[in-house]
Amino acid sequence: MQTAGRFAPSPSGRIHLGNILCCLLAWLSARQQGGRVVLRIEDLDTARCPRRYADQMVEDLQWLGLDWDEGPGAGGPSGPYYQSQRTPLYQAALEKLAAMGLVYPCFCTRAELHAASAPHRGDGQAVYAGTCRDLTAEQIAEKAKSRPPALRLRVPGETWGFTDGHMGPYRENLARDCGDFLLRRSDGMFAYQLAVVVDDAAMGVTEVVRGADLLDSTPRQLYLYDLLGLPAPSFIHFPLLLAPDGRRLSKRDADAGLDTLRDRATAAEILGKLAYLAGFNPSAAPRTAEGLLADFAWDKVPRADLRIPEGLF
Ligand code: GLU
């Protein structure tokens, strides 16, 4: 089967070096195998991801020389390629899970979730304490009068694991390490975990390349693939890019955003430095994405976080 990789950026701001590294690695990995590339805009949170940010992101990726075969501007058989336009698909998946008796309404407020004395995951998110797991029909009807519920997936105390293409074996006990997780927020917005599974399957994605911050989302996603009877892709997580002071890069880091970088560097300069940091450019010399195909190999990429040296960009 032909490899299909994807970029799935969330356009909540201007693209930054971490997003660019993600797209570069996904592109190189797929293209080196003669695979196709899909661009999907993850704009479920329409308030934080206005269309003009998505348009800018598409333009930035083109400027970087990272192309795609399916997605905005390219069309393709699995569109639309904006998650904000795909809600009927997420609704259908939700109904399938609900028909299996695995979905329940959760009325907990943010403050209640915070106060519940559940253990915290490595990423700082609380494991849901299960407060609304066993509400009776009467309790649900009563609570629904005062607020609309979120919807959660009931998870079993089973261990789900996989072998990451870069980070090696990883597993989690769904109930203990993750807890019943959100499928839809109380305002009706579908959750990333559900949307990403539905979309990667619908778009025929066979290889997911993304940052190690999403490693611990993968067991949840594998569980959803299984429940929905969908073929799961392989997963390759790469180390996070850190700012020179060791913080996680965010869209608020002005220095790492393309808004300022594009004024002082060419696309080849940016890609060459990122590839150098990620171990597959022997120096920080400018390189095109196409030119890097000959040098890229996953075993050259470190597994520990990559700190950007002061003054590199
Ligand atoms: N949209 C997510 C992000 O920008 C990526 C999701 C994924 O690769 O699975 O962080």
Side-chain angles (χ1 to χ4, degrees):
M1 191 169 49
Q2 192 199 23
T3 299
R6 48 76 154 177
F7 315 143
S10 300
S12 60
R14 193 76 182 261
I15 196 170
H16 66 58
L17 289 170
N19 310 127
I20 299 172
L21 178 62
C22 184
C23 294
L24 175 65
L25 289 170
W27 187 92
L28 287 168
S29 192
R31 290 289 190 230
Q32 226 183 30
Q33 300 168 72
R36 64 192 171 92
V37 174
V38 178
L39 169 61
R40 177 176 69 244
I41 304 292
E42 300 217 324
D43 60 348
L44 281 173
D45 192 341
T46 46
R48 289 182 59 226
C49 301
R51 180 59 183 252
R52 66 175 193 284
Y53 285 180
D55 292 346
Q56 180 67 60
M57 192 164 267
V58 167
E59 205 271 314
D60 282 337
L61 290 170
Q62 286 166 335
W63 180 80
L64 286 162
L66 297 168
D67 62 348
W68 53 93
D69 309 292
E70 279 180 45
S78 319
Y81 292 93
Y82 293 79
Q83 287 193 323
S84 58
Q85 297 169 16
R86 298 175 63 81
T87 42
L89 292 161
Y90 312 141
Q91 184 64 32
L94 179 70
E95 282 165 18
K96 188 165 176 180
L97 297 168
M100 298 163 87
L102 295 174
V103 179
Y104 66 86
C106 170
F107 298 91
C108 294
T109 61
R110 201 179 285 259
E112 283 165 343
L113 290 174
H114 219 75
S117 57
H120 281 255
R121 303 163 54 89
D123 59 9
Q125 281 176 42
V127 173
Y128 182 57
T131 317
C132 295
R133 197 172 218 248
D134 299 309
L135 295 179
T136 63
E138 291 76 39
Q139 287 171 316
I140 290 173
E142 190 53 39
K143 283 177 181 282
K145 286 181 193 158
S146 51
R147 61 177 291 177
L151 298 175
R152 285 185 188 272
L153 184 75
R154 196 181 290 276
V155 301
E158 288 171 12
T159 296
W160 278 69
F162 71 106
T163 300
D164 187 80
H166 191 56
M167 298 296 193
Y170 182 80
R171 57 199 206 134
E172 268 186 13
N173 180 288
L174 290 177
R176 189 193 60 218
D177 303 324
C178 161
D180 294 345
F181 60 89
L182 285 180
L183 297 173
R184 210 180 71 186
R185 292 193 335 195
S186 60
D187 63 4
M189 189 181 115
F190 283 96
Y192 155 71
Q193 306 291 355
L194 180 66
V196 77
V197 165
V198 168
D199 286 346
D200 279 334
M203 294 175 183
V205 169
T206 65
E207 181 179 278
V208 168
V209 173
R210 61 189 181 193
D213 54 334
L214 290 168
L215 189 62
D216 65 11
S217 282
T218 312
R220 269 173 280 182
Q221 293 172 13
L222 287 169
Y223 183 55
L224 283 173
Y225 278 106
D226 188 69
L227 290 176
L228 294 168
L230 299 171
S234 58
F235 291 91
I236 307 180
H237 291 84
F238 64 86
L240 294 182
L241 212 53
L242 304 179
D245 63 4
R247 280 176 307 111
R248 283 262 301 269
L249 279 188
S250 85
K251 296 217 165 68
R252 285 179 294 280
D253 274 303
D255 293 349
L258 261 198
D259 37 357
T260 58
L261 275 175
R262 256 179 88 158
D263 296 337
R264 55 175 204 269
T266 63
E269 283 168 348
I270 295 171
L271 296 184
K273 287 176 185 179
L274 279 175
Y276 171 61
L277 261 180
F280 53 94
N281 189 8
S283 73
R287 303 290 298 270
T288 62
E290 199 71 37
L292 284 165
L293 279 169
D295 288 306
F296 171 72
W298 277 112
D299 59 15
K300 294 180 181 171
V301 179
R303 289 189 181 76
D305 288 347
L306 303 169
R307 194 191 281 221
I308 301 171
E310 193 76 60
L312 180 65
F313 286 95

